[in-house]
Amino acid sequence: MATVDLATGGAPLTVLSEDEVMFRDLVRGFAQDTVRPLVHQMDEQQKMSPDLIRQCFEMGLMGIEVPEEHGGTGASFFTAALVVEELSRVDASVGVLVDVQNTLVNNAFLRWGSEDLKAKYLPQLSAERVGAYALSEAGSGSDAFALATKAVKVDGGFRVTGTKLWITNGNEAEIFIIFANANPEAGYKGITAFIVEKDFDGFSVGKKEDKLGIRASSTTELLLKDVFVPEENVLGEVGKGYKTAIETLNEGRIGIGAQMIGIGQGALDATVKYVQEREQFGKRISDFQGVQFQLAQMATELEAARLMVYNAARLKDAGLPFLQEAAMAKLFSSQVAQKITSTCVDLYGGYGFTREYPVEKFYRDSKIGSIYEGTSNMQLQTIAKNLIK
């Protein structure tokens, strides 16, 4: 991939700056050399390697957009998307660990945090402490604002009580953004975002889900029993948490799009190699036109998805509207990832159905893309509303 000075304008979406190429190549090497040997074991054990998490911090992957004065890398949102894509080409579990840290948790602090909150927490999130974003509940999935978790005002802060579900990074995280309703009578306008640390009294991590895919990534419930949260740990304004949630998730969807194109690329890479090695009827199966056409179709759809994800990320960095583009990118990339990984399993034949080869894991990992951070139906609704308004 060529490089260009993006400051000159008019650059193709997939052409990267020198800094972007350097970061991408660094992460690509890390994924191949360090992550790949651990993928099967982490998937089987359903546990992320603590040493691998430490190395992600040491490489600056956990604070990509965080300014250098707060201990971060000081790079762009687009760079974060590139990192998620490259990691997900090898293991989508590591990809989503880094994605949630950057596109949800850090982004929320950067946009909504007071200067004191940024100074206190961003250096920790960049250097050593994993973060998690806790919005979902048993009765609050796609209807994200039907929160049952309550926050009661007391002297010096709030008492928060409730249960959160489907929280990515739940086991590894030490800093949590918790959404609770501080004024239920006001409906969604009572929703407020709070910063909760793992050692706060009354806070605990509950059940860990046994999942189809991204199994090394922990997905847990969080239990809050009369947890005292100091007033200074309100993220943004009281009653404006709905705005924090919506706008942060809009950005996070681009990260999931990057994860999906990484999964698709990883599966396609493995399959292109396999069909050139596997022989049937006296020749490589890559010599059959029917196989070639399937490879070409997958590569074409993957490139289209990549362009959509890159475009949404570039728009975000440029400060331009990106709501519809982000929804489209997540919707389409998740569809493409599922289609590509399924076709790759087919091309592997019986081997593709076994865990000895990589494509069955890519296939399992791809399914989550149409579910979390807004289901495909919610993305369709967002796109339709934007068209009809």
Side-chain angles (χ1 to χ4, degrees):
M1 193 179 290
T3 64
V4 70
D5 182 2
L6 295 178
T8 61
L13 285 172
T14 55
V15 173
L16 308 181
S17 69
E18 286 189 24
D19 286 345
E20 289 167 348
V21 170
M22 288 176 61
F23 214 121
R24 182 205 62 188
D25 290 349
L26 177 69
V27 176
R28 182 173 294 180
F30 171 70
Q32 291 292 338
D33 299 339
T34 305
V35 178
R36 188 176 294 282
L38 301 174
V39 171
H40 183 73
Q41 179 184 10
M42 292 194 301
D43 184 63
E44 287 290 312
Q45 296 179 352
Q46 301 187 54
K47 182 177 175 57
M48 189 75 64
S49 163
D51 188 56
L52 187 59
I53 296 174
R54 177 185 56 77
Q55 291 179 78
C56 286
F57 278 111
E58 290 175 351
M59 291 184 64
L61 305 186
M62 302 298 269
I64 295 172
E65 284 187 90
V66 175
E68 292 181 6
E69 60 263 32
H70 290 315
T73 305
S76 64
F77 181 87
F78 181 82
T79 301
L82 280 180
V83 169
V84 173
E85 178 186 358
E86 289 299 324
L87 292 172
S88 300
R89 286 178 67 172
V90 173
D91 189 358
S93 292
V94 181
V96 78
L97 169 84
V98 172
D99 175 51
V100 167
Q101 184 89 356
N102 286 282
T103 70
L104 293 183
V105 178
N106 292 347
N107 247 321
F109 273 98
L110 287 168
R111 184 161 184 185
W112 305 101
S114 65
E115 290 306 312
D116 287 343
L117 281 178
K118 291 177 185 177
K120 179 178 181 180
Y121 286 110
L122 286 176
Q124 298 179 51
L125 289 164
S126 299
E128 59 183 352
R129 304 182 81 185
V130 175
Y133 187 89
L135 178 62
S136 297
E137 299 178 4
S140 175
S142 292
D143 184 6
F145 295 149
L147 298 184
T149 300
K150 300 293 189 295
V152 178
K153 186 73 176 72
V154 295
D155 287 345
F158 294 80
R159 291 282 180 182
V160 180
T161 299
T163 301
K164 295 293 182 179
L165 289 181
W166 318 115
I167 307 306
T168 302
N169 296 351
N171 273 350
E172 296 80 17
E174 297 182 74
I175 298 169
F176 298 80
I177 299 177
I178 304 286
F179 290 87
N181 202 319
N183 184 11
E185 292 74 20
Y188 73 90
K189 291 188 177 180
I191 294 173
T192 305
F194 299 92
I195 308 306
V196 174
E197 297 188 41
K198 192 170 188 174
D199 60 0
F200 279 12
D201 288 342
F203 177 86
S204 62
V205 177
K207 174 188 174 185
K208 177 179 178 291
E209 300 297 337
D210 186 3
K211 307 191 300 293
L212 170 73
I214 57 168
R215 289 167 65 82
S217 167
S218 66
T219 302
T220 73
E221 67 177 354
L222 306 178
L223 308 174
L224 298 101
K225 298 180 180 179
D226 200 32
V227 176
F228 176 73
V229 182
E231 195 156 9
E232 58 267 26
N233 274 32
V234 171
L235 184 65
E237 298 178 40
V238 174
K240 294 293 180 67
Y242 69 93
K243 187 176 180 65
T244 301
I246 289 173
E247 297 191 13
T248 305
L249 285 171
N250 288 340
E251 298 165 354
R253 286 168 187 151
I254 303 172
I256 299 304
Q259 181 194 36
M260 290 298 111
I261 60 176
I263 289 171
Q265 189 67 62
L268 182 58
D269 290 344
T271 302
V272 169
K273 180 180 179 182
Y274 175 78
V275 298
Q276 293 180 85
E277 297 170 348
R278 172 73 166 164
E279 292 189 0
Q280 289 286 273
F281 306 103
K283 58 181 179 180
R284 302 179 306 173
I285 62 174
S286 62
D287 293 333
F288 291 99
Q289 189 180 63
V291 172
Q292 293 174 359
F293 283 3
Q294 290 181 78
L295 296 174
Q297 185 68 40
M298 288 189 287
T300 300
E301 293 182 9
L302 181 60
E303 185 66 6
R306 178 174 287 110
L307 290 171
M308 295 178 77
V309 172
Y310 283 17
N311 181 56
R314 296 286 195 202
L315 287 171
K316 194 273 181 185
D317 276 335
L320 298 171
F322 62 88
L323 171 63
Q324 177 164 300
E325 289 80 4
M328 288 178 169
K330 182 184 183 294
L331 171 70
F332 187 67
S333 63
S334 64
Q335 293 171 340
V336 166
Q338 290 183 47
K339 183 177 178 181
I340 287 176
T341 55
S342 178
T343 301
C344 289
V345 170
D346 291 341
L347 288 173
Y348 266 77
Y351 291 117
F353 204 64
T354 71
R355 295 198 172 184
E356 183 179 352
Y357 290 82
V359 289
E360 70 85 28
K361 181 179 181 299
F362 284 122
Y363 179 60
R364 288 187 287 112
D365 287 348
S366 71
K367 185 57 192 173
I368 191 61
S370 62
I371 300 172
Y372 63 3
E373 292 196 35
T375 65
S376 289
N377 281 339
M378 294 304 294
Q379 305 314 309
L380 288 167
Q381 184 180 61
T382 296
I383 297 163
K385 283 183 176 179
N386 201 58
L387 291 173
I388 294 169
K389 68 179 180 181

